[in-house]
Amino acid sequence: MNRMLIIGAGGLIGGKFKDLAGENFEVFGTYNTHHVEGENMFHLNAVNRQETFALIRKLSPDVVVDTHSLNNVDYCETHREEAWSINVDGVKNIAEACKDNGAKIIFFSTDYVFDGKKMKYTEKDKPRPLNYLGMNKMVAEQMLYGLDINHIIVRTSVVYGSGGLNKINFVLWLIQKLRAKEKVSIVTDQKNNPTFVDNIVSQVLALHRKNRTGIYHIAGSECLSRYDFSLKIANVFKLDTNLITPITTSDLHQIARRPMVVNMSVAKVEKETGLKQDDVYTGLNKLKQQLEATNADL
Ligand SMILES: NC(=O)c1ccc[n+]([C@@H]2O[C@H](COP(=O)([O-])OP(=O)(O)OC[C@H]3O[C@@H](n4cnc5c(N)ncnc54)[C@H](OP(=O)(O)O)[C@@H]3O)[C@@H](O)[C@H]2O)c1
């Protein structure tokens, strides 16, 4: 059986790979600051080059799913050295260790590589990031092309789902707030493609099975504002929409600039895998069933 190593197995996307990839792979995973239980789980700080090379040499994976990242876009803006070391140097360490050991790397990037000036973005569009996180990801993508390594780059957006140990994603955060009857203010003018994490894993595994390489947009099929997304979440989870107040980006005074509207075309991945992305209602309803089935206490 082929071996998969998931960097960041306690994260939202990494955790879902850990749950779903076991049928086809012998799965290994890493954690950094939040311990993940299991005999196949290992500590790794990807910034540490020696530790990274030693682990990848020891486990000799066929494929490495690199989900590690410093994701907080405002924090990255003000902590640039730290962001670069994790988001660029860390990826370089993993990618070069993969190259040395003949492993394929699957790397996660973001819709924030774009400035939002275009109506719809395909994989052929040129990145033009507005913030430091987006710039880090663009540099990491370019570094992977330059290394001439067997790779898939996945650009995704506003991921939600039940994977991951430690992180609370936007949907789970909103459900918690509305259940506690707390008021929230959500922006109407930032639009993206919310993405159900299970769809990401299915499409990536299908691409890998078909020996595909290169760059793919893997994101939800609908581009909608965070406010409209919130109303749908409240409807599906039968929560009070009156607690949600519409605001605009200028009310938020966010540190990092964001592209206002990034609508990613997912035609390429859907055509090549034959798998469709769920629309928002379908994804949210599947999440609801998963949470009910596990009696997850939000
Ligand atoms: N979630 C989204 O909405 C979204 C949108 C666009 C793109 N993406 C991209 O998708 C990828 C996965 O996102 P996610 O939401 O699953 O992230 P996440 O839940 O924050 O998980 C990130 C994982 O990375 C690990 N990590 C952080 N720094 C590390 C380091 N120096 N060395 C090794 N591991 C480290 C963390 O481990 P510990 O917790 O143990 O420290 C954690 O398990 C990221 O590359 C992200 O940029 C995500």
Side-chain angles (χ1 to χ4, degrees):
M1 204 181 229
N2 277 355
R3 296 175 149 222
M4 173 182 283
L5 172 63
I6 304 160
I7 313 287
L12 175 58
I13 297 177
K16 193 52 76 174
F17 269 97
K18 181 168 159 285
D19 291 348
L20 299 182
E23 253 181 52
N24 303 305
F25 290 90
E26 188 180 0
V27 173
F28 299 86
T30 75
Y31 57 87
N32 184 27
T33 53
H34 299 90
H35 184 258
V36 180
E37 292 289 339
E39 60 177 19
N40 284 354
M41 296 296 129
F42 299 85
H43 179 268
L44 177 70
N45 179 0
V47 173
N48 184 324
R49 189 170 171 86
Q50 258 187 322
E51 192 188 353
T52 306
F53 271 71
L55 187 71
I56 291 179
R57 196 177 310 119
K58 174 173 138 177
L59 297 176
S60 191
D62 300 283
V63 55
V64 174
V65 178
D66 179 13
T67 72
H68 98 279
S69 185
L70 185 60
N71 277 333
N72 183 319
V73 62
D74 292 318
Y75 185 90
C76 286
E77 208 67 24
T78 50
H79 297 76
R80 294 186 169 212
E81 242 178 75
E82 186 184 349
W84 182 275
S85 71
I86 296 170
N87 294 337
V88 180
D89 293 340
V91 180
K92 186 164 186 272
N93 291 339
I94 293 166
E96 289 181 346
C98 285
K99 188 166 183 176
D100 269 17
N101 289 276
K104 177 175 189 171
I105 183 169
I106 297 172
F107 167 70
F108 282 86
S109 182
T110 168
D111 56 346
Y112 277 179
V113 296
F114 296 120
D115 63 9
K117 298 266 157 48
K118 236 190 127 201
M119 287 288 284
K120 199 154 192 173
Y121 286 96
T122 74
E123 290 81 353
K124 289 186 178 146
D125 287 309
K126 212 170 159 228
R128 193 177 166 278
L130 298 180
N131 54 51
Y132 198 68
L133 173 61
M135 192 273 273
N136 284 176
K137 294 287 188 179
M138 179 186 75
V139 172
E141 289 180 1
Q142 288 165 350
M143 186 248 311
L144 287 179
Y145 309 137
L147 274 178
D148 187 24
I149 180 176
N150 188 2
H151 72 265
I152 294 178
I153 294 169
V154 176
R155 290 193 188 124
T156 189
S157 173
V158 193
V159 184
Y160 65 94
S162 61
L165 293 178
N166 332 297
K167 285 284 295 293
I168 183 126
N169 54 75
F170 178 74
V171 173
L172 302 186
W173 170 84
L174 187 73
I175 295 168
Q176 271 184 357
K177 292 280 176 195
L178 299 183
R179 281 195 180 152
K181 309 268 180 251
E182 285 181 43
K183 289 187 174 171
V184 292
S185 299
I186 308 286
V187 287
T188 54
D189 54 350
Q190 290 183 30
K191 300 183 185 178
N192 309 75
N193 308 72
T195 311
F196 185 41
V197 67
D198 298 51
N199 292 162
I200 298 178
V201 177
S202 312
Q203 289 187 327
V204 169
L205 292 178
L207 288 172
H208 178 67
R209 268 196 307 277
K210 290 171 178 253
N211 281 324
R212 301 295 167 151
T213 59
I215 188 152
Y216 290 87
H217 290 177
I218 301 190
S221 52
E222 284 170 81
C223 182
L224 73 173
S225 75
R226 206 53 87 91
Y227 177 73
D228 289 334
F229 186 37
S230 303
L231 295 181
K232 291 195 176 194
I233 297 165
N235 281 328
V236 169
F237 286 85
K238 305 207 178 344
L239 297 162
D240 184 0
T241 52
N242 293 318
L243 293 166
I244 308 172
T245 305
I247 56 165
T248 59
T249 299
S250 59
D251 298 320
L252 278 180
H253 306 292
Q254 290 169 316
I255 297 167
R257 283 180 73 199
R258 272 99 166 145
M260 286 297 108
V261 182
V262 180
N263 187 5
M264 290 208 287
S265 163
V266 292
K268 181 181 173 189
V269 72
E270 291 192 341
K271 183 165 174 242
E272 293 190 18
T273 62
L275 296 173
K276 293 273 176 217
Q277 284 282 333
D278 288 319
D279 60 40
V280 168
Y281 268 128
T282 307
L284 288 172
N285 275 302
K286 285 184 182 172
L287 173 61
K288 187 163 175 257
Q289 282 171 10
Q290 288 174 357
L291 295 174
E292 284 167 0
T294 55
N295 278 324
D297 182 16
L298 296 175

